[in-house]
Amino acid sequence: MEQLSGAEMIIRCLQDEGVEYVFGYPGGAVLHIYDALFRQKQVKHVLVRHEQAATHMADGYARATGKPGVVLVTSGPGATNAVTGIATAYMDSIPMIVLSGQVRSDWIGDDAFQETDMIGVSRPIVKHSFSVRDARDIPEIIKKAFFIATTGRPGPVLIDIPKDKTAPSVKFPYEYPKKVKMRSYNPAVRGHSGQIRKAVDALLEARRPVIYTGGGVIQGEASAQLVELARMLGYPVTNTLMGLGGYPATDRQFIGMLGMHGTYEANMSMHHADVVFAVGARFDDRVTSNTKKFCPDARFIHIDVDPASISKNIRADVPIVGTAEQVLSDMIALLRQTGEKPDAKALEAWWKQIDDWRQVHGLRYERGSELLKPQQVIETLYSVTKGDAFVTSDVGQHQMFAAQYYKFDKPRRWINSGGLGTMGFGLPAAMGVAMAYPDATVACVTGEGSIQMNIQELSTCKQYELPVKVINLNNQSLGMVRQWQDMQYEGRHSHSYMESLPDFVKLVEAYGHVGMKVTKIADLEPAMKEAFKLKDRLVFMDIYVDPEEHVYPMHIGDGSMRDMWLSKTQRT
Amino acid sequence: MRRIISILMENEPGALSRVVGLFSQRGYNIDTLTVAPTEDATLSRLTLTTLGDDQKIEQITKQLNKLVEVVKVVDLTEGAHIERELMLIKMKATGAQRAEIKRTTDIFRGQIVDVTGTVYTVQLAGTTDKLDAFIHAIGEDQVLEVVRSGVSGIARGEKVLSL
């Protein structure tokens, strides 16, 4: 049998797992691993400028491809810098493997140079973690890590590797395990057939149904099944922020995103629904508003691969534990087999009601002002990219505008930090997507606040020639904070301004990219067309937008789904 | 309501910290906690008591089950069960109190396991209520030190928590 060192085994395992890219940053504790990486060609390493960006790149790669993202960082600050990115992936159930270096095992606990208890630090934000105690265990640990990260409800898995376990002089026989078996980890796949029958019955009895789907449909590759089932039934579909693209946004049955900044029609439909069919969604507080007032007339059918997500915030009447793909397929088969149909008359009345809501208060914003409106920028982005770009975002108003106005027709095209709300996510995530799909159009919708949280990655973009298009909605303020201050703090803008902004055009030029500044409505579309024509260049569009603009609709705090602000002066 | 949750988990370093961390992370409380390896050395048995309504306990057991090292979880309070806690208690014992403490210890079926001229140390096993009652009977003024093991529990009858 082949003899390999611990470090060589790590790299070989990644090869055997089919890993294309490792996103990382070298340092003392991982030098043996970096040397093993250097002596092979198969696994490519991407050198970031800050470890947080490595995790977001791996995350963006994972969200776009469905394959786990792999991160390699050194001990101490290298590992702690990765924490925000690990937490981001954890909240959004993204498969990720984080290899963190550790000081040599006989120094652990001695406060050695660059020592941090990374197992302890990361414990609440990983699906699982391993510490390598014997180099012989490395293949099994890595196999298990990939298995855990990618099955059930996906999530990040951390492997902490003391430096002495990777020593080049100590070799062991290498064999990558073909299978893993863990007596304590058996995620469910198939839903209970009795429950599936009940769910189908409840759906068929519904008179005012809503299908409400989340990230589980995207991560669980269940989009095709969702579309098929929704079309068989003819029911309205709403997506969470994480679920956009799970159902085609240009389809007539799509009623938009729901929740805090959801559409009027989606939130009204939820409030008045008699059956809510939740698929891979977790009734997050940004969706439900006050849970006591949430959907007062509804029965809840809830499919989730994670039993703990069911009946956590909202009690499910028909809980089904299983993958969205499998359970939806079983439901489709059952409907086909029985040939049962929903009540067409009730459905017609329900759609009439929903269409009325759409008419009255569909997504809209004030046009015709002097200043560029952020919504307009997203609409232009949508038309210029023909709705076919991968769009990543940071966090804040621009994120909500992108979610509302870019119509995603395919899963994995909309990539944002929904659960943790991590500013600084957008650019590195876009880079991860561009790595995975070099020929795709990748846009990062961001703001002048968020972009500065990982702007150093413009350097990485240059090194790897990543032609991301950065759409910077520059309102010279932390827009979402400012909006809350306008609405709840009588307009006291406590530290939500952005004074002393850099000249972004000069800055990106200094990094070797193309910068464009847009301040006039008339310039927007031509400039954007020009930017997207530069297929092999990173273009940073610094677009000055109306700083007074708010995101609407917006849930009224502690209210029900139907309690919304529709503009600065109008509420339901 | 007070619950006794019994967990079978991999006897591996770090497993305990994941269980305990889960409770603090999600805002659940732990009243007592006891853990030791089982007859199968690869497994540990952890018993803890906590307070919560049905919904909270359901969440706790689901979240515990999600931990990769946790093999099985049961809420012992759901069925008939036996629970015991061990207490070692050191008391002032002088003059007439020496005989009084001896009598009370006998009544509670405890044993005096260490004696000095002024101090008795008593070992007592039973339910949490019984141990509380003993302290009350002796009088808190007499007590110098109390060490309690936390609750251990097992289901009655033929039900077994194993692989």
Side-chain angles (χ1 to χ4, degrees):
Chain A
M1 208 184 280
E2 201 179 357
Q3 300 283 311
L4 297 178
S5 72
E8 288 164 342
M9 279 200 274
I10 290 166
I11 301 304
R12 177 60 74 80
C13 290
L14 297 182
Q15 291 176 350
D16 286 348
E17 259 319 310
V19 172
E20 294 174 277
Y21 292 108
V22 172
F23 304 95
Y25 205 99
V30 286
L31 282 176
H32 297 324
I33 304 174
Y34 268 84
D35 191 55
L37 200 53
F38 188 83
R39 289 184 282 109
Q40 55 90 53
K41 289 264 180 299
Q42 198 177 325
V43 179
K44 295 180 210 63
H45 180 268
V46 179
L47 176 69
V48 293
R49 300 298 179 267
H50 185 289
E51 289 88 349
Q52 183 188 346
T55 54
H56 293 329
M57 280 183 82
D59 184 320
Y61 173 90
R63 290 185 205 230
T65 61
K67 292 187 269 187
V70 181
V71 177
L72 172 57
V73 291
T74 193
S75 64
T80 56
N81 275 350
V83 165
T84 302
I86 301 171
T88 304
Y90 181 71
M91 283 292 266
D92 289 343
S93 311
I94 305 304
M96 182 185 285
I97 306 291
V98 181
L99 305 163
S100 61
Q102 185 53 277
V103 300
R104 41 190 270 203
S105 46
D106 57 329
W107 285 358
I108 288 178
D110 293 351
D111 301 321
F113 177 64
Q114 294 195 326
E115 180 188 355
T116 299
D117 170 16
M118 194 52 192
I119 296 285
V121 167
S122 66
R123 191 196 44 69
I125 53 164
V126 293
K127 186 171 173 185
H128 195 56
S129 52
F130 295 93
S131 181
V132 174
R133 290 193 162 70
D134 186 335
R136 285 178 199 86
D137 300 338
I138 286 172
E140 196 192 335
I141 286 175
I142 293 182
K143 184 77 190 174
K144 280 183 179 170
F146 275 89
F147 178 62
I148 292 169
T150 53
T151 52
R153 181 177 179 174
V157 176
L158 180 125
I159 307 174
D160 203 45
I161 311 158
K163 188 171 184 182
D164 52 314
K165 307 301 175 197
T166 60
S169 54
V170 196
K171 308 236 177 191
F172 304 95
Y174 171 80
E175 190 180 16
Y176 197 58
K178 286 185 183 63
K179 273 197 292 194
V180 273
K181 212 175 141 20
M182 300 173 75
R183 61 183 172 186
S184 56
Y185 179 74
N186 300 294
V189 176
R190 283 204 94 105
H192 187 275
S193 61
Q195 291 296 94
I196 289 171
R197 176 74 251 179
K198 271 194 214 162
V200 168
D201 288 346
L203 274 177
L204 289 168
E205 283 161 20
R207 303 181 67 79
R208 297 184 310 281
V210 178
I211 303 175
Y212 144 60
T213 80
V217 168
I218 314 276
Q219 294 304 322
E221 303 286 359
S223 185
Q225 288 77 5
L226 172 66
V227 171
E228 191 176 352
L229 181 68
R231 294 215 172 121
M232 280 171 95
L233 293 165
Y235 290 177
V237 182
T238 180
N239 289 162
T240 68
L241 180 65
M242 291 306 299
L244 292 173
Y247 192 84
T250 52
D251 188 274
R252 190 190 163 275
Q253 278 172 247
F254 188 64
I255 56 173
M257 181 171 76
L258 83 169
M260 182 172 275
H261 294 296
T263 63
Y264 179 74
E265 54 269 35
N267 287 345
M268 291 299 276
S269 302
M270 285 292 283
H271 184 82
H272 292 93
D274 67 346
V275 170
V276 168
F277 178 35
V279 187
R282 59 188 177 88
F283 295 89
D284 177 83
D285 57 86
R286 301 289 113 155
V287 161
T288 61
S289 207
N290 185 339
T291 51
K292 290 194 182 70
K293 300 177 188 167
F294 180 68
C295 305
D297 304 328
R299 295 178 66 204
F300 295 98
I301 307 165
H302 192 173
I303 304 176
D304 208 293
V305 74
D306 173 14
S309 281
I310 297 176
S311 297
K312 181 175 68 179
N313 297 336
I314 298 292
R315 187 104 215 142
D317 298 286
V318 186
I320 306 175
V321 180
T323 65
E325 185 197 7
Q326 189 62 54
V327 176
L328 291 176
S329 298
D330 289 348
M331 290 175 77
I332 292 164
L334 191 58
L335 271 171
R336 270 223 196 89
Q337 188 195 324
T338 59
E340 290 168 292
K341 294 261 187 307
D343 181 339
K345 234 174 150 184
L347 191 58
E348 199 189 317
W350 180 226
W351 269 114
K352 187 175 174 312
Q353 171 69 77
I354 293 170
D355 287 337
D356 284 350
W357 285 326
R358 242 184 208 158
Q359 282 290 315
V360 187
H361 294 297
L363 275 183
R364 63 194 57 180
Y365 60 93
E366 196 192 317
R367 285 162 209 263
S369 85
E370 286 280 297
L371 293 165
L372 260 169
K373 293 287 185 183
Q375 298 94 326
Q376 205 169 355
V377 178
I378 305 297
E379 284 178 335
T380 309
L381 176 66
Y382 179 73
S383 65
V384 168
T385 58
K386 301 181 178 65
D388 204 28
F390 285 87
V391 178
T392 72
S393 91
D394 272 299
V395 171
Q397 285 186 322
H398 67 266
Q399 177 189 25
M400 293 301 124
F401 290 132
Q404 289 177 332
Y405 287 90
Y406 200 101
K407 300 185 208 53
F408 295 95
D409 276 340
K410 293 178 195 160
R412 301 195 179 280
R413 292 303 177 98
W414 165 240
I415 289 169
N416 83 129
S417 168
L420 197 67
T422 308
M423 291 171 73
F425 174 81
L427 177 60
M431 293 157 66
V433 179
M435 278 285 172
Y437 300 116
D439 300 325
T441 304
V442 185
C444 164
V445 176
T446 184
E448 83 293 332
S450 287
I451 192 68
Q452 292 192 80
M453 284 211 187
N454 262 325
I455 199 156
Q456 76 287 345
E457 297 309 315
L458 288 172
S459 173
T460 312
C461 288
K462 184 68 192 166
Q463 185 171 344
Y464 296 93
E465 295 177 349
L466 301 173
V468 172
K469 305 294 180 282
V470 180
I471 310 298
N472 188 41
L473 299 184
N474 190 338
N475 59 359
Q476 307 110 68
S477 65
L478 304 175
M480 191 57 93
V481 172
R482 183 189 166 107
Q483 175 169 346
W484 282 58
Q485 288 170 337
D486 283 340
M487 296 173 78
Q488 291 171 28
Y489 299 89
E490 298 166 323
R492 289 187 298 279
H493 296 150
S494 178
H495 303 276
S496 56
Y497 59 95
M498 274 272 155
E499 271 187 352
S500 306
L501 283 175
D503 179 335
F504 284 110
V505 171
K506 276 191 188 155
L507 182 69
V508 297
E509 283 172 359
Y511 275 111
H513 303 302
V514 180
M516 291 180 180
K517 182 170 174 174
V518 178
T519 55
K520 294 196 195 75
I521 294 175
D523 297 341
L524 176 65
E525 194 172 343
M528 206 178 268
K529 278 185 172 156
E530 194 192 326
F532 279 91
K533 264 192 208 133
L534 297 171
K535 290 225 174 291
D536 52 355
R537 297 298 299 275
L538 183 147
V539 183
F540 188 110
M541 298 191 73
D542 187 21
I543 304 171
Y544 277 69
V545 295
D546 184 355
E548 304 290 328
E549 191 63 24
H550 285 181
V551 183
Y552 293 110
M554 180 173 178
H555 265 154
I556 294 167
D558 222 28
S560 72
M561 288 297 277
R562 70 172 165 185
D563 299 321
M564 288 169 269
W565 285 102
L566 300 167
S567 72
K568 283 183 185 170
T569 51
Q570 194 187 8
R571 52 171 291 177
T572 53
Chain B
M1 197 187 139
R2 173 178 169 273
R3 309 294 185 113
I4 305 172
I5 307 225
S6 216
I7 301 167
L8 212 53
M9 61 187 197
E10 300 289 352
N11 184 12
E12 281 171 8
L16 177 61
S17 77
R18 278 183 229 274
V19 171
V20 175
L22 175 73
F23 274 74
S24 64
Q25 177 187 351
R26 296 199 177 262
Y28 312 141
N29 76 314
I30 299 179
D31 275 350
T32 71
L33 175 112
T34 161
V35 57
T38 65
E39 77 288 357
D40 172 351
T42 66
L43 289 171
S44 282
R45 175 84 172 240
L46 184 152
T47 313
L48 62 84
T49 56
T50 183
L51 290 172
D53 56 21
D54 287 347
Q55 202 188 340
K56 190 158 210 173
I57 299 299
E58 183 184 328
Q59 256 305 302
I60 291 176
T61 51
K62 282 174 170 178
Q63 294 291 353
L64 284 168
N65 269 311
K66 264 174 81 173
L67 295 176
V68 169
E69 283 144 338
V70 166
V71 185
K72 279 197 176 160
V73 180
V74 306
D75 175 359
L76 283 177
T77 20
E78 270 182 352
H81 65 279
I82 298 157
E83 60 173 280
R84 289 291 180 271
E85 200 179 346
L86 176 72
M87 175 166 71
L88 295 171
I89 177 167
K90 201 173 269 195
M91 291 156 291
K92 286 184 254 176
T94 50
Q97 281 162 347
R98 289 179 82 85
E100 183 56 32
I101 290 172
K102 171 80 174 77
R103 267 198 299 278
T104 310
T105 303
D106 289 343
I107 291 166
F108 278 82
R109 283 188 280 169
Q111 293 101 41
I112 297 172
V113 290
D114 191 42
V115 177
T116 73
T118 55
V119 167
Y120 276 168
T121 302
V122 167
Q123 162 190 305
L124 184 63
T127 63
T128 302
D129 284 349
K130 177 178 161 176
L131 305 192
D132 291 342
F134 179 77
I135 294 172
H136 185 72
I138 294 292
E140 279 176 26
D141 294 348
Q142 296 299 114
V143 175
L144 295 169
E145 188 179 353
V146 174
V147 184
R148 294 168 76 145
S149 64
V151 174
S152 282
I154 197 162
R156 280 194 185 275
E158 287 171 16
K159 227 193 283 172
V160 167
L161 181 62
S162 67
L163 283 180

